[in-house]
Amino acid sequence: MKIFNYNLRIEKYTIGVFLIVLYHRLIKFNKSFVFKNERLNYLIHRYNKTYNNERTIEISIFKNLLKNNNNKTVLEIGNVLNHYINVKHVVVDKYEKYPGVINSDIIEFNSEIKFDLIISISTFEHIGFDEYSRYSEQQNDRSDSKNKLIAAFSKMTELLKDNGKFIFSSPVGYNPNLDEIIRKNEIPNMKTSFYKRISKNNEWTIANDLDWENIKYGQPYPAANFLIIGELS
């Protein structure tokens, strides 16, 4: 009976998730957003409930970047795309155990090859900020967070080929140190664009001006309400 009840709960959960995903795919049918003058579809996926957060545009953006950089050398910082597509590029993640993923702090990571493209999806905001509190019982020390972020950006340029690009996404309002670096243009040659969530149904649009002081992570919608797309070459 216990096994039956457990299996029944799993079946109800699976059906429930399927219906939620189906509902969001229907309401997003024929809806899209623009990235670099190209219209992309929202990604609706059960993993990490993309229908309810910034992943819905992040995954579409970075899948499109991979498509446009086919046969190029690619490095991903943070194991994200593995959960949505068949990944063939190099992935570095400090903590997550996953087949083929290199477990290393990105600041300490070394490679014999340089990369045409380095990507990172909502990972940089965690560097030196909440990595200890999320993955271990160690007390989190954020005192050196900004320096670690600057070192990580420097590492990206070190790993890139001469004409390579580093493109990342990050929520605004999550890590004040990263927000400050972006707001004050502290990383040379970095270009940024911003997206704003505009509806309960998780639709997004390009945001031209940001009122940095009044942006709150998780308000009024769950998770990110503004998203940075940064590009460094």
Side-chain angles (χ1 to χ4, degrees), residues 86-103:
N86 182 25
V87 164
K88 298 179 181 178
H89 54 256
V90 179
V91 182
V92 174
D93 191 296
K94 186 173 181 179
Y95 297 102
E96 185 175 351
K97 304 296 183 183
Y98 196 96
V101 171
I102 301 170
N103 293 127

Side-chain angles (χ1 to χ4, degrees), residues 13 45-53 55 84 202:
Y13 171 79
H45 198 283
R46 67 182 182 276
Y47 185 81
N48 204 21
K49 300 178 181 178
T50 69
Y51 46 82
N52 201 35
N53 57 54
R55 282 286 194 269
Y84 302 96
N202 203 20

Side-chain angles (χ1 to χ4, degrees), residues 170-194:
S170 181
V172 181
Y174 186 90
N175 182 338
N177 297 302
L178 180 56
D179 287 355
E180 182 179 34
I181 288 171
I182 301 298
R183 187 177 72 251
K184 294 184 177 179
N185 299 313
E186 295 184 18
I187 305 298
N189 303 316
M190 181 178 288
K191 300 176 183 177
T192 54
S193 57
F194 301 91

Side-chain angles (χ1 to χ4, degrees), residues 50-83:
T50 69
Y51 46 82
N52 201 35
N53 57 54
E54 63 271 23
R55 282 286 194 269
T56 194
I57 63 171
E58 286 180 308
I59 304 303
S60 289
I61 287 171
F62 286 92
K63 280 177 62 180
N64 191 59
L65 285 171
L66 289 181
K67 183 185 74 174
N68 293 336
N69 287 273
N70 193 26
N71 297 323
K72 299 287 184 69
T73 53
V74 178
L75 169 65
E76 181 179 1
I77 311 302
N79 184 38
V80 176
L81 287 175
N82 261 313
H83 298 290

